[in-house]
Amino acid sequence: MANWLTGKVVEKTQWNERLFSLCIAVEFNGFSAGQFVRVALDIDGERVARPYSLVNKPGEGLLEIYFNIVPEGPLSPRLAELKVGDEIFVTDKANGFLTVDEVPECKHLWLMATGTGVGPFLSILKTENVWQRFEKVVLGYSVRDLSELSYRKEIEKIAQEHAQQFIFVPFVTRDKVDGAIHQRMPLSLEDGSVEEKTGFRINEQDSHVMMCGNSEMIKSVTEVLEKRGLRKHRRREPGHLTTEKYH
């Protein structure tokens, strides 16, 4: 049984017609950057919950989630209707292994996200640990159109603060956007365009890849990188690929 904490929505951001962020004030004990919590509302006499990764860094005081409306879903359309001051429920513990602490020693960390999967990586990028551990950190962020490229100001701030270590690679598949790659991540790895943009190649000697978002992206990118000799990371068998799926 989950132990539920009662929180309040203190800030709401609507990025486009289907993408939202909520900041929640709640007495929460802490988490590791990259983890997720379960968020719930009482709907028709039932507490309906779904997992959402946290966007904020640990210790900020508020919990922030980033989500898209699933039209047929029981929870996300209701979350999108919430207003500042409304009640919301959060589990008292965070979970998940998409954290820097789980990554073996390496030089280059690649964070590959589609859509709302960028949330846990933003949390990671706001912490000091990631910059102390890796020589280079790449954020690949894939969306369909420019309106879905959320948190641009936050990403620009990270880029300014860590200019020598951080590389941001946006993928926008349906709009022509200056500086963005106009195809999906798996194809960009196969043809080398993403690595041409960063100046170095993903390899089994000095790279680790964390992936979050669309399950098809995770499957396809994994297949491309396994051909190079990279393998899934497990605690008992350290590897190069760490994943978190929303589906």
Side-chain angles (χ1 to χ4, degrees), residues 6-19:
T6 302
K8 282 193 175 181
V9 176
V10 296
E11 185 178 336
K12 176 181 178 180
T13 302
Q14 181 170 358
W15 301 99
N16 65 11
E17 72 279 357
R18 54 183 290 275
L19 290 168

Side-chain angles (χ1 to χ4, degrees), residues 112-118 142 144 184-186 211-222 243-247:
M112 309 295 277
T114 55
T116 56
V118 76
S142 181
R144 292 176 297 185
R184 299 180 188 278
M185 285 179 175
M211 292 175 275
C212 187
N214 180 275
S215 57
E216 186 57 40
M217 178 276 287
I218 292 173
K219 178 176 179 290
S220 298
V221 168
T222 298
T243 64
E244 190 82 273
K245 294 182 180 180
Y246 279 115
H247 305 284

